[in-house]
């Protein structure tokens, strides 16, 4: 169904704006009125990473008058494979500032507002209240649920996107006209069940495919044209080059937007709600965690260590800690690899950052390997504190 325009039109377009946006102006459905609405719109991009990069570039090129960028991260070399708003000279600089510079090159008529901070419970409502529309490009469940909850509580529509390896999803959530994110995903997945892009990878160009869909939806909402993805989930398979649409209905039992909501304000702790690691893993790592430096000291002292890398083979090819043996987490959790672990050596597990190794540690301890430990911070910590010559990813 079509929806009324989200934004009132600006008073006028300048001569420079008419020249710049002429290809929009000659589209009957957009025209002068639609472009004036774009000029008057205030859109916030949550994240200037994989999805935020193409979204911000095309929102700016389309003539959205005010673009907010919230991101507290800095540009890393591994970002450049997909985060096209940043360049080599931006490595080490805040992403929000790097993105603002790129936007200025594309369209200096856009007003850019930088929020170089982490989005959290204390600032999300205040920041969101300054904008008409939110474009969500976050890559973790805790922030996604917080974005959704704040948008619903403030009555704001938001365009959501998600990417992983060769698969992407996009939708529009607007409680006034359809379901919210909690209607689609009432509960977050179990900790460790869904790998992040940093763990599982993502095809760089997939960001452009989903990010451009998000911008398309934003333009439709702002100008009131077409049929937005409210109540529909767009699923994209890049390998099969297949798009599918799935209906998403408003859930009357939704904890946030249902008939009898139980969530009436922001949660106290979204990280706790989503769970960085399972309860079993949290119990397993208590008193059984060592640092990367401690592991190096053990190795240097000749301690008889069996070091298991629980990452995936593709990650193993990028970098590895000397002396490690590759045993993927899934093989440990299924029990298929338990026979590979010795009974007479100190078992040490590591992954990229410490989450997967914590889950694997819980499975090992349940199987009787009570003295096993894992490395806090994983190979990231090893690169940062022991061997910076290893490539990071």
């Amino acid at each position: 169904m079509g929806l009324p325009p989200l934004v009132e039109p600006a008073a006028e377009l300048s001569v420079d704006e008419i020249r710049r946006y002429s290809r929009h102006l000659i589209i009957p459905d957009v025209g002068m009125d639609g472009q004036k609405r774009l000029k008057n719109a205030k859109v916030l991009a949550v994240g200037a990473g994989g999805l935020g990069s193409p979204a911000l570039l095309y929102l700016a090129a389309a003539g959205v008058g005010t673009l907010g960028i919230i991101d507290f991260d800095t540009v890393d070399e591994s970002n450049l494979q997909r985060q096209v708003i940043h360049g080599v000279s931006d490595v080490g600089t805040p992403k929000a500032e790097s993105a603002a510079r790129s936007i200025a090159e594309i369209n200096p008529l856009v007003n850019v507002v930088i929020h170089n901070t982490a989005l959290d419970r204390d600032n999300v409502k205040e920041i969101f209240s300054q904008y008409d529309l939110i474009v969500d490009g976050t890559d973790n469940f805790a922030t996604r649920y917080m974005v959704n909850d704040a948008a619903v509580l403030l009555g704001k529509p938001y365009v959501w996107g998600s990417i992983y390896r060769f698969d992407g999803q996009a939708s529009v959530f607007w409680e006034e006209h359809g379901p919210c994110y909690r209607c689609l995903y009432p509960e977050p997945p179990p900790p460790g069940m869904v790998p992040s892009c940093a763990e599982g990878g993502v095809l760089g160009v997939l960001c452009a495919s989903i990010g451009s869909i998000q911008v398309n939806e934003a333009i439709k909402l702002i100008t009131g044209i077409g049929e937005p993805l409210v109540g529909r989930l767009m699923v994209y398979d890049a390998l099969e080059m297949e798009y599918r649409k799935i209906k998403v209905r408003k859930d009357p039992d939704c904890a946030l937007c249902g008939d009898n909501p139980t969530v009436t304000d922001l949660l106290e702790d979204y990280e706790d709600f989503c769970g960085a690691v399972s309860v079993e893993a949290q119990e397993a790592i208590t008193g059984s965690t060592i640092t990367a430096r401690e592991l190096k000291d053990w190795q240097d002292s000749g301690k008889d260590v069996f070091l298991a890398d629980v990452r995936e083979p593709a990650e193993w090819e990028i970098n590895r800690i000397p002396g490690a043996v590759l045993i993927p987490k899934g093989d440990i959790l299924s029990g298929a690899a338990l026979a590979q672990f010795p009974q007479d050596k100190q078992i040490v597990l590591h992954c990229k950052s410490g989450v997967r190794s914590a889950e694997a540690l819980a499975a090992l301890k349940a199987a009787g390997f009570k003295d096993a430990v894992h490395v806090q911070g994983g190979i990231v910590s090893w690169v940062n504190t022991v061997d910076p010559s290893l490539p990071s990813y």
Side-chain angles (χ1 to χ4, degrees):
M1 64 174 180
L3 296 174
L6 182 63
V7 178
E8 291 298 314
E12 61 182 6
L13 297 180
S14 68
V15 173
D16 287 343
E17 288 169 330
I18 291 173
R19 290 197 193 99
R20 177 179 286 269
Y21 308 125
S22 62
R23 298 304 188 273
H24 274 177
L25 300 179
I26 59 177
I27 301 174
D29 287 349
V30 180
M32 187 69 74
D33 181 77
Q35 196 62 50
K36 287 180 179 179
R37 293 182 192 276
L38 289 170
K39 178 180 179 177
N40 218 24
K42 298 179 180 179
V43 177
L44 175 68
V46 183
L51 291 175
S53 288
L56 284 165
L57 292 175
Y58 274 104
L59 287 167
V64 171
T66 299
L67 278 179
I69 309 169
I70 180 161
D71 199 312
F72 69 97
D73 200 5
T74 56
V75 181
D76 180 82
E77 261 188 331
S78 66
N79 301 147
L80 303 183
Q81 163 257 7
R82 65 201 176 281
Q83 299 180 17
V84 294
I85 205 166
H86 312 297
V88 173
S89 62
D90 299 313
V91 171
T93 63
K95 285 185 179 180
E97 296 176 13
S98 169
R101 287 194 295 269
S102 295
I103 290 170
E105 282 294 310
I106 288 175
N107 192 348
L109 303 178
V110 173
N111 173 40
V112 180
V113 181
I114 294 175
H115 303 277
N116 194 5
T117 184
L119 193 68
D120 58 32
R121 187 185 190 279
D122 296 327
N123 63 22
V124 61
K125 283 186 179 179
E126 188 274 327
I127 292 174
F128 279 19
S129 65
Q130 303 172 40
Y131 297 91
D132 304 304
L133 175 67
I134 314 300
V135 174
D136 181 20
T138 56
D139 62 356
N140 66 86
F141 288 100
T143 308
R144 286 174 185 168
Y145 278 97
M146 181 172 63
V147 167
N148 175 76
D149 294 358
V152 170
L153 293 169
L154 294 171
K156 303 279 184 180
Y158 80 97
V159 185
W160 169 78
S162 174
I163 50 177
Y164 178 67
R165 291 186 175 169
F166 300 100
D167 301 316
Q169 300 179 358
S171 189
V172 173
F173 297 110
W174 194 356
E175 186 270 338
E176 183 179 341
H177 298 284
C180 77
Y181 181 76
R182 284 180 181 263
C183 295
L184 178 61
Y185 297 114
E187 298 288 340
M193 180 67 70
V194 181
S196 68
C197 289
E199 294 174 344
V202 61
L203 187 69
V205 72
L206 182 67
C207 301
S209 300
I210 301 302
S212 62
I213 289 175
Q214 290 183 280
V215 175
N216 189 62
E217 293 306 301
I219 291 173
K220 286 156 60 179
L221 289 168
I222 291 166
T223 59
I225 62 174
E227 186 176 349
L229 283 174
V230 175
R232 295 180 297 161
L233 176 69
M234 177 69 77
V235 180
Y236 173 51
D237 181 338
L239 284 183
E240 297 296 329
M241 191 48 66
E242 181 179 75
Y243 286 92
R244 293 183 295 121
K245 282 187 291 187
I246 301 171
K247 285 188 177 181
V248 181
R249 302 188 185 280
K250 194 177 183 70
D251 182 2
D253 297 322
C254 176
L256 183 68
C257 72
D259 297 336
N260 299 291
T262 56
V263 178
T264 57
D265 200 353
L266 296 175
L267 303 183
E268 288 295 330
D269 191 336
Y270 282 89
E271 292 287 349
D272 183 60
F273 171 65
C274 293
V277 295
S278 67
V279 174
E280 292 80 9
Q282 190 62 51
E283 292 174 351
I285 64 177
T286 302
S288 299
T289 300
I290 65 170
T291 65
R293 175 56 61 183
E294 285 176 304
L295 171 60
K296 183 66 166 64
D297 291 342
W298 282 5
Q299 291 179 326
D300 291 345
S301 68
K303 188 179 179 75
D304 201 5
V305 171
F306 182 83
L307 178 60
D309 184 335
V310 305
R311 298 176 299 159
E312 295 300 309
E315 297 174 274
W316 169 263
E317 293 297 326
I318 297 172
N319 60 13
R320 65 193 71 169
I321 296 176
V325 176
L326 178 64
I327 307 178
K329 182 192 78 171
D331 294 342
I332 298 173
L333 267 55
S334 69
L338 293 179
Q340 297 182 46
F341 289 91
Q343 297 283 352
D344 58 346
K345 293 184 179 182
Q346 172 63 64
I347 295 173
V348 179
L349 307 180
H350 86 82
C351 61
K352 180 179 180 180
S353 62
V355 175
R356 284 174 286 176
S357 59
E359 300 291 342
L361 183 65
L364 270 189
K365 289 201 168 189
F369 296 92
K370 301 299 183 183
D371 295 329
V373 299
H374 90 129
V375 180
Q376 183 179 22
I379 201 166
V380 171
S381 179
W382 180 272
V383 171
N384 290 337
T385 63
V386 177
D387 187 3
S389 68
L390 283 180
S392 59
Y393 67 102

